[in-house]
């Protein structure tokens, strides 16, 4: 009986004339655009200026790519520096190999530099881009599908991924699509962060910390399913220990931050509060002008009955004068 499975692409690159379009790089690029787009929407909703997220991303993205590659090369050095390997391959980022831990750490450093140059509080920026980063990871994981990598144990489940390549020790067959599991988990993390941020008004970096903790929880069990070569410590893969350690740090930060700095930032970008203040002054001026007009109308209304009373009194005096004149004429 033929099994159902997810087919892998026959190749991970499409040549558009002299320009090679690699599936792995294409997924990363789309992920970056989605992260910036969503982050910008959330930043503006928090009171920031449009374009600020993209300006800081100019620093964060290159740092993140370098950090992700460094983490991968350092933790899997045998792939590039062991006997029979070419160390030049360590620079071929398009062939796959980005460690999310290094990407987030160095990307945060780049974002901090960009935010500092613009006078933007880093925690508020991190909260705005957190769900977008999760979606970028969800999209980027499909780059592993193009490269036929990061799959789990063999299985005959209907959603198994078919591996056809035999390069680098791969054995053709059907396996757990751990890249798909992580992609779907990251989508769920993005939805969770957006919901929690709206429900609890997370601030001071707590939305970002929630993203980190939720991602680590999923990465732990997904990492446990993978069968690719990795360093082990006390029976667990290195990335399992990293996920556990980072998860604990994120939870501790959320607890301490909520106690020390409850609520969320009122101003997320310098200058935005002054424009609000000017609007408030204009509204106050309009209100004062309206009050002045109302007072004038009130004075006019109050003066109306008095004028009518004075006119009536004058008419009575005129009639009395005419009557006195007539009486004098009769006497004469």
């Amino acid at each position: 009986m033929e099994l159902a499975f997810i087919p892998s692409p026959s190749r991970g690159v499409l040549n558009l004339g002299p320009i090679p379009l690699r599936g792995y790089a294409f997924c990363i690029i789309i992920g970056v655009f989605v992260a910036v787009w969503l982050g910008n929407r959330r930043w503006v909703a928090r009171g920031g200026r449009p374009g600020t997220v993209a300006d800081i991303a100019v620093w964060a993205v290159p740092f993140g790519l370098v950090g992700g590659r460094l983490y991968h090369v350092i933790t899997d050095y045998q792939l590039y520096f062991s006997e029979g390997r070419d160390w030049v391959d360590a620079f071929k980022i398009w062939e796959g190999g980005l460690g999310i831990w290094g990407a987030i750490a160095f990307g945060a450093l780049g974002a901090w530099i960009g935010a500092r140059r613009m006078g933007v509080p880093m925690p508020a920026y991190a909260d705005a881009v957190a769900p977008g980063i999760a979606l970028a990871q969800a999209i980027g994981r499909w780059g592993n599908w193009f490269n036929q990598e990061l799959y789990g144990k063999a299985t005959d489940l209907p959603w198994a991924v078919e591996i056809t390549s035999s390069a680098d020790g791969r054995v053709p067959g059907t396996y757990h699509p751990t890249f798909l599991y992580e992609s779907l988990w990251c989508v769920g993390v993005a939805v969770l962060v957006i919901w929690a941020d709206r429900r609890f008004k997370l601030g001071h970096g707590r939305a970002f910390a929630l993203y980190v903790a939720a991602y680590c929880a999923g990465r732990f069990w997904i990492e446990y399913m993978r069968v690719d070569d990795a360093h082990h410590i006390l029976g667990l893969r290195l990335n399992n220990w990293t996920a556990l350690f980072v998860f604990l740090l994120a939870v501790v930060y959320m607890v301490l931050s909520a106690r020390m700095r409850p609520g969320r930032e009122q101003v997320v970008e310098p200058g935005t509060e002054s424009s609000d203040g000017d609007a408030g002054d204009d509204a106050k001026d309009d209100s004062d002008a309206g009050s002045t007009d109302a007072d004038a109308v009130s004075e006019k209304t109050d003066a109306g009955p008095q004028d009518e009373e004075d006119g009536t009194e004058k008419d009575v005096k005129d009639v009395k004068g005419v009557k006195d004149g007539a009486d004098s004429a009769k006497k004469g």
Side-chain angles (χ1 to χ4, degrees):
M1 182 178 65
E2 184 177 356
L3 300 177
F5 54 80
I6 301 173
S8 291
S10 58
R11 56 180 179 173
V13 58
L14 177 64
N15 293 310
L16 300 178
I19 303 176
L21 180 60
R22 302 183 182 277
Y24 187 87
F26 187 64
C27 290
I28 292 176
I29 293 172
I30 294 178
V32 169
F33 274 101
V34 170
V36 172
W37 169 78
L38 180 57
N40 182 72
R41 287 177 59 91
R42 287 172 51 80
W43 184 253
V44 173
R46 287 286 306 274
R49 292 191 178 95
T52 298
V53 169
D55 291 340
I56 297 178
V58 171
W59 289 87
V61 173
F63 271 74
L65 291 175
V66 171
R69 189 60 175 177
L70 279 175
Y71 181 90
H72 168 72
V73 172
I74 291 173
T75 56
D76 292 311
Y77 60 87
Q78 72 280 358
L79 299 178
Y80 307 100
F81 303 106
S82 60
E83 185 178 356
R85 298 284 184 169
D86 188 358
W87 63 270
V88 177
D89 291 342
F91 297 96
K92 297 179 180 179
I93 191 173
W94 56 87
E95 293 184 353
L98 287 176
I100 185 60
W101 315 113
I104 294 297
F106 273 66
L109 175 61
W112 178 80
I113 295 174
R116 185 177 177 82
R117 289 169 59 90
M118 300 185 67
V120 170
M122 182 61 188
Y125 180 82
D127 286 340
V129 300
I133 294 176
L135 289 181
Q137 290 178 248
I139 297 172
R141 273 305 176 203
W142 283 90
N144 302 129
W145 175 66
F146 280 100
N147 288 348
Q148 297 195 37
E149 58 187 4
L150 301 189
Y151 47 86
K153 300 175 182 179
T155 182
D156 58 358
L157 291 171
W159 56 83
V161 62
E162 180 191 32
I163 300 299
T164 58
S165 172
S166 57
D168 296 326
R170 295 184 182 91
V171 178
T174 55
Y175 300 86
H176 277 284
T178 52
F179 75 90
L180 175 61
Y181 299 159
E182 186 168 337
S183 178
L184 294 176
W185 183 270
C186 287
V187 172
V189 170
V191 173
L192 172 64
V193 173
I194 292 175
W195 170 82
D197 193 27
R198 291 179 178 178
R199 176 67 177 80
F200 302 106
K201 302 297 182 183
L202 301 177
H204 302 287
R206 288 188 289 277
F208 184 81
L210 175 61
Y211 144 71
V212 172
Y215 170 75
C216 290
R219 179 60 184 267
F220 186 89
W221 66 267
I222 294 172
E223 183 73 20
Y224 194 76
M225 297 179 64
R226 285 168 52 172
V227 295
D228 53 304
D229 292 333
H231 297 287
H232 286 72
I233 301 176
L234 299 178
L236 288 178
R237 294 166 65 98
L238 175 61
N239 282 332
N240 281 117
W241 288 108
T242 305
L244 180 60
F245 177 71
V246 176
F247 171 83
L248 293 175
L249 286 181
V251 172
V252 170
Y253 178 87
M254 282 192 292
V255 174
L256 294 180
S257 176
R259 291 180 179 178
M260 299 174 62
R261 308 185 70 182
R264 66 177 5 176
E265 302 88 343
Q266 296 299 319
V267 178
V268 297
E269 189 167 357
T272 54
E273 74 278 5
S274 62
S275 61
D276 294 339
D278 294 341
D281 293 340
D282 293 340
K284 182 178 180 180
D285 292 340
D286 293 341
S287 177
D288 293 342
S291 299
T292 302
D293 294 340
D295 292 341
V297 172
S298 177
E299 291 176 359
K300 185 176 180 180
T301 303
D302 294 340
Q306 182 66 37
D307 293 341
E308 293 177 359
E309 182 177 350
D310 293 343
T312 303
E313 183 177 353
K314 184 178 180 182
D315 292 340
V316 171
K317 290 181 178 180
D318 292 341
V319 172
K320 183 178 181 182
V322 172
K323 183 178 180 182
D324 291 342
D327 294 339
S328 300
K330 288 181 179 180
K331 291 179 180 180

